[in-house]
Amino acid sequence: DVTIASIFQAVVDGNTRGTLEGIEQALEQGLTAEAILSQGLIAAMREVGRLFEEGEYFVPEMLVAARAMQAGLNRLRPLLVAQGIQPLGKVVLGTVKGDLHDIGKNLVGMMLEGAGFEVIDLGTDVSPEKFLAAIEEHQPHLLGMSALLTTTMSNMKLTLEILERAQVRERVRVMIGGAPVTEGFARQIGADGYAPDASRAVALAKHLLS
Ligand code: B1M
């Protein structure tokens, strides 16, 4: 599709205005928010990652692409987040300490909200102590942690350890995700579940609370 291709290219180029114009056009043409998201925005970030790996892109290019993607996500948010659903449960969500990647975490939060969860988003670079304090304050059913760097994944384990020590671990179900995270890693650190993408994060959250 030409319009989706233009959205893809605009995100790769870090062109926020082009991304938003492409999205308006795609919506006018009757394309769904889901299609725009997966074939336009998410596919474009994958391409940006590839360009970075190959040394064609550097951090500034990744950053402007991320900004364009985030603007696109904000535009799609009301379409992805359905209204008036019964609350399913409360989730505290954040990207772990040392890690500033938040696009995937934001998407997971948006989809959870869309499914009827109440989401308390702690943002990025969240220390184990801060996760613990939020659990004590908000008493959520679920804790969701995201990590995009192999070097920050270990902070998921540290967070679980601090919850254990504070004796709140059994009060919350814990799910984790992010590009370097695997099912095996989740099992290894004693998380309750792992999801590879945002829609499966919703299915997992429902499953963990059932
Ligand atoms: Co950085 N970065 N980055 N980056 N970045 C990666 C992650 C990298 C893989 C790129 C690469 O080399 N190919 C690489 C990590 C290598 C590694 O650890 N093995 C990398 C690096 C090296 C870095 C820096 C160290 C670069 C530097 O400074 N030299 C630096 C670190 C900064 C820090 O965090 N301390 C850095 C910085 C940045 C930017 C700030 C420029 C920017 C982030 C902006 C932002 O997030 N606001 C950025 C970006 C954009 C990326 C890539 C290109 C795209 C990430 C993204 O948003 N993807 C990324 C390449 C890649 O991932 N292939 C890369 C789209 C998003 C929808 O997908 O986040 O995977 P994702 O989320 C998915 C699933 O993973 C899952 O669902 C989401 C939706 O489907 N999921 C969950 C995520 N969280 C979940 C939680 C769940 C369940 C599912 O439950 C709770």
Side-chain angles (χ1 to χ4, degrees):
D1 182 89
V2 186
T3 315
I4 296 265
S6 83
I7 297 168
F8 174 93
Q9 197 56 47
V11 173
V12 171
D13 293 341
N15 176 355
T16 297
R17 195 204 283 188
T19 302
L20 292 174
E21 283 171 2
I23 290 176
E24 289 318 319
Q25 217 177 319
L27 292 173
E28 273 165 33
Q29 287 169 12
L31 289 163
T32 63
E34 286 76 11
I36 297 169
L37 179 65
S38 65
Q39 296 160 36
L41 302 180
I42 293 182
M45 285 318 283
R46 208 174 301 129
E47 173 65 4
V48 169
R50 194 187 66 77
L51 291 168
F52 179 75
E53 238 165 79
E54 296 193 345
E56 269 192 62
Y57 267 20
F58 297 94
V59 171
E61 286 88 357
M62 276 209 288
L63 205 54
V64 284
R67 221 174 281 152
M69 162 122 191
Q70 192 59 57
L73 274 186
N74 289 342
R75 173 63 187 88
L76 295 180
R77 173 187 277 270
L79 302 172
L80 294 169
V81 176
Q83 304 290 317
I85 303 176
Q86 287 298 309
L88 284 181
K90 206 190 271 187
V91 188
V92 161
L93 186 65
T95 301
V96 296
K97 188 178 161 103
D99 202 320
L100 302 175
H101 296 86
D102 67 356
I103 295 174
K105 183 262 302 162
N106 293 348
L107 195 53
V108 168
M110 221 180 259
M111 300 289 236
L112 285 170
E113 269 177 24
F117 287 89
E118 180 190 347
V119 176
I120 295 145
D121 188 342
L122 305 180
T124 60
D125 192 22
V126 181
S127 66
E129 294 78 13
K130 201 168 166 196
F131 276 121
L132 172 61
I135 288 167
E136 287 177 332
E137 181 187 345
H138 300 287
Q139 307 283 334
H141 305 89
L142 262 171
L143 167 65
M145 289 186 283
S146 180
L148 264 284
L149 298 170
T150 45
T151 50
T152 57
M153 285 165 70
S154 54
N155 290 327
M156 294 175 156
K157 183 165 187 274
L158 290 181
T159 304
L160 291 177
E161 285 169 4
I162 214 174
L163 298 188
E164 193 81 56
R165 243 176 289 137
Q167 302 186 329
V168 300
R169 176 62 187 92
E170 58 284 0
R171 279 200 245 143
V172 280
R173 311 276 83 201
V174 177
M175 68 174 191
I176 63 174
V181 177
T182 61
E183 185 81 58
F185 179 72
R187 218 170 306 125
Q188 190 190 317
I189 68 168
D192 298 303
Y194 153 79
D197 58 45
S199 55
R200 275 174 280 185
V202 171
L204 174 63
K206 287 182 178 165
H207 172 74
L208 288 176
L209 294 191
S210 67

